[in-house]
Amino acid sequence: MSTEENATGSTGSTTRTDGVTGPPTTPCTVVWSQGRPFVLESGPGRPRWMGTDNHGRPRALTREDLRRRGWSYRRAS
């Protein structure tokens, strides 16, 4: 079983959220949701999580969208 550092800096065997905490807020952070990578982009306006849908088209998610879909710091096996 591997461990990795989570958002609070502690190590653990899992980094998947349980609905209590939200996705990270650091720009250029990469997270995985439903088997697809999403990166946090910041710029003018609200930050958004950018990734692709199952057809390769760009898809933007809000922080709440990502929280509802579920996310982790690593790809599910």
Side-chain angles (χ1 to χ4, degrees):
M1 178 170 20
S2 66
T3 61
E4 69 181 68
E5 192 167 291
N6 65 21
T8 60
S10 63
T11 58
S13 60
T14 181
T15 56
R16 175 155 261 163
T17 61
D18 58 6
V20 176
T21 61
T25 57
T26 307
C28 299
T29 300
V30 176
V31 298
W32 291 83
S33 178
Q34 297 180 351
R36 303 216 168 261
F38 285 85
V39 64
L40 181 59
E41 293 182 346
S42 65
R46 290 184 171 173
R48 61 185 178 171
W49 290 94
M50 290 300 299
T52 59
D53 65 10
N54 58 350
H55 298 289
R57 296 176 295 215
R59 176 157 190 185
L61 298 175
T62 65
R63 183 178 165 104
E64 283 301 313
D65 291 337
L66 196 58
R67 185 181 293 152
R68 272 189 301 260
R69 291 168 51 108
W71 63 277
S72 70
Y73 281 108
R74 61 183 194 155
R75 186 176 187 173
S77 344

